[in-house]
């Protein structure tokens, strides 16, 4: 269970399920079962490989020091074996129970996360952008399970998950940047703190047009523009406070006078923490609202679409 990173795998599954529910074509319980099972297993495989590759680095960070490979409960070889089993079964479930496109996307995500992203973490700040692609693929898997990826709605959902990861991860990494540095990970939070906060704010703003695009392309009704904007607005406000304080703390004037005060550093840490927790709540609620606002579902529920057809 620990090798699967259950919270991480659950997030993957959640975004995949929501996208499947929002797809315009028919959904079935049979496909849903294979989609969720295959997504969890492929995500588990990627996480297990990631842990098997990084025990020497993970043990230097408080948040990863209790992982099973670090503590010796599981050897790297056993973790690789577990990953081989879960990836094989997961991709098979997606291939035979859903379709080949979804299986390819699931396999691609294993490679992107466990090899490319994991390798880049110790080489370049670009690892965060690659990691965001990993988070954007599950919505494509959910959509491809019942609809075509040529539909712009699929890419709106993928863009939403891609953008969300920057305020989420950049805010998280801000408060543990010293641990990342000590462990040898190259993260924007300590390489360029101003860029780290600026990117978090930039992608918070981007979620507004992405949600509007979901309305425009017929994924949701237009009421979604209103309530999604309330949530996006709150997250953007927190990200703005985080960016502003970080910018002040790292200005040339402050640095030349001996650096920021303890109070200023604490304020930036607090705003980073608020941005992080805001993102934790924002994403599931935005996805839930999208399902509640799915285009035409209330018409079908109350029979309004049939009434319009009869009148026509």
């Amino acid at each position: 269970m620990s090798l699967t990173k259950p919270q991480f795998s659950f997030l993957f599954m959640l975004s995949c399920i929501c996208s499947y529910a929002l797809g315009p074509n028919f959904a079935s319980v049979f496909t849903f079962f294979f989609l969720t099972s295959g997504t969890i297993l492929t995500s588990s495989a990627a996480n297990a490989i990631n842990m098997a590759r990084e025990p020497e680095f993970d043990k230097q960070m408080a948040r990863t020091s209790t992982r099973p490979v670090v503590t010796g409960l599981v050897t790297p070889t056993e973790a690789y074996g577990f990953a081989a089993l879960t990836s094989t079964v997961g991709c098979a479930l997606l291939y035979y129970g859903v379709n080949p496109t979804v299986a390819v996307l699931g396999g691609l995500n294993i490679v992107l996360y466990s090899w490319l992203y994991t390798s880049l973490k110790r080489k370049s700040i670009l690892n965060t952008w690659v990691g965001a692609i990993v988070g954007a693929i599950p919505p494509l898997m959910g959509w491809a399970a019942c609809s075509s990826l040529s539909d712009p709605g699929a890419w709106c959902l993928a863009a939403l998950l891609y953008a969300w990861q920057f305020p989420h991860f950049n805010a998280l990494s801000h408060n543990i940047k010293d641990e990342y540095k000590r462990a040898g990970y190259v993260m924007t939070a300590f390489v360029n703190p101003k860029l780290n906060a600026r990117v978090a704010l930039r992608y918070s703003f981007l979620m507004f047009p992405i949600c509007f695009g979901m309305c425009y392309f017929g994924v949701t009704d237009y009421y979604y523009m209103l309530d999604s904007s309330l949530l996006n607005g709150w997250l953007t406000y927190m990200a703005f406070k985080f960016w502003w304080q970080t910018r002040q703390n790292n200005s040339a004037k402050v640095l030349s006078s001996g650096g920021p005060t303890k109070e200023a550093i604490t304020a930036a840490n607090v705003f980073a923490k608020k941005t992080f927790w805001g993102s934790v709540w924002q994403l599931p609620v935005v996805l839930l609202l999208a399902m509640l606002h799915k285009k035409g579902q209330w018409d079908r529920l109350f029979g309004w679409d049939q009434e319009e057809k009869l009148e026509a």
Side-chain angles (χ1 to χ4, degrees):
M1 180 61 72
S2 297
L3 280 174
T4 68
K5 293 185 188 175
Q7 293 177 328
F8 190 83
S9 295
F10 175 77
L11 177 62
F12 264 50
M13 184 186 69
L14 174 66
S15 60
C16 185
I17 289 173
C18 291
S19 183
Y20 182 59
L22 288 166
N25 294 335
F26 177 75
S28 72
V29 174
F30 177 84
T31 302
F32 176 83
F33 171 77
F34 282 96
L35 176 64
T36 53
S37 302
T39 300
I40 290 175
L41 288 172
T42 53
S43 175
S44 299
N47 292 326
I49 296 172
N50 173 266
M51 290 190 197
R53 293 188 64 192
E54 299 187 322
E56 292 303 313
F57 303 97
D58 284 345
K59 71 181 181 181
Q60 299 179 59
M61 298 183 62
R63 63 186 290 265
T64 57
S65 61
T66 58
R67 287 178 174 175
V69 181
V70 176
T71 59
L73 293 174
V74 177
T75 67
T77 300
E78 290 170 335
Y80 282 128
F82 174 78
L85 176 63
T86 52
S87 61
T88 301
V89 175
C91 287
L93 289 174
L94 294 174
Y95 186 90
Y96 293 106
V98 188
N99 60 53
T101 300
V102 177
V104 169
L105 289 172
L108 175 62
N109 235 13
I110 295 174
V111 175
L112 281 175
Y113 183 76
S114 62
W115 295 109
L116 183 57
Y117 167 70
T118 300
S119 299
L120 277 174
K121 283 165 68 178
R122 294 184 294 278
K123 296 178 180 179
S124 170
I125 63 172
L126 291 177
N127 70 76
T128 306
W129 281 263
V130 173
I133 296 174
V134 173
I137 288 180
L140 294 179
M141 293 171 64
W143 194 279
C146 64
S147 305
S148 172
L149 289 181
S150 63
D151 193 321
W155 297 96
C156 285
L157 284 163
L160 180 67
L161 267 293
Y162 179 83
W164 171 82
Q165 288 171 90
F166 291 94
H168 177 75
F169 179 75
N170 288 24
L172 169 68
S173 62
H174 174 85
N175 282 330
I176 55 174
K177 56 182 178 288
D178 292 335
E179 291 189 31
Y180 276 120
K181 186 175 182 178
R182 184 170 60 250
Y185 295 128
V186 183
M187 296 297 175
T188 316
F190 72 81
V191 173
N192 191 335
K194 288 198 293 184
L195 176 63
N196 184 66
R198 185 165 67 247
V199 167
L201 177 61
R202 181 186 303 157
Y203 282 94
S204 296
F205 276 118
L206 188 58
M207 282 189 275
F208 286 96
I210 292 172
C211 289
F212 296 165
M214 290 170 64
C215 303
Y216 178 80
F217 291 114
V219 180
T220 64
D221 59 41
Y222 280 92
Y223 294 107
Y224 182 65
M225 294 177 67
L226 176 61
D227 44 20
S228 68
S229 292
L230 295 175
L231 289 161
N232 292 337
W234 174 251
L235 180 61
T236 302
Y237 174 71
M238 289 293 102
F240 173 80
K241 299 286 283 185
F242 169 43
W243 165 77
W244 180 261
Q245 189 62 57
T246 304
R247 179 173 175 268
Q248 294 294 104
N249 291 1
N250 291 275
S251 66
K253 181 179 179 181
V254 170
L255 293 177
S256 64
S257 62
T261 63
K262 289 184 179 180
E263 290 76 13
I265 294 173
T266 300
N269 293 343
V270 168
F271 290 133
K273 188 175 292 186
K274 287 184 177 181
T275 302
F276 168 74
W277 283 110
S279 69
V280 169
W281 287 104
Q282 183 257 6
L283 180 65
V285 178
V286 163
L287 291 174
L288 176 61
L289 287 172
M291 290 190 290
L292 291 174
H293 285 289
K294 182 178 179 180
K295 184 73 171 181
Q297 74 170 348
W298 296 106
D299 295 343
R300 291 190 293 272
L301 180 62
F302 293 108
W304 292 336
D305 58 336
Q306 278 135 24
E307 289 177 12
E308 289 176 0
K309 286 178 185 177
L310 289 173
E311 288 176 4

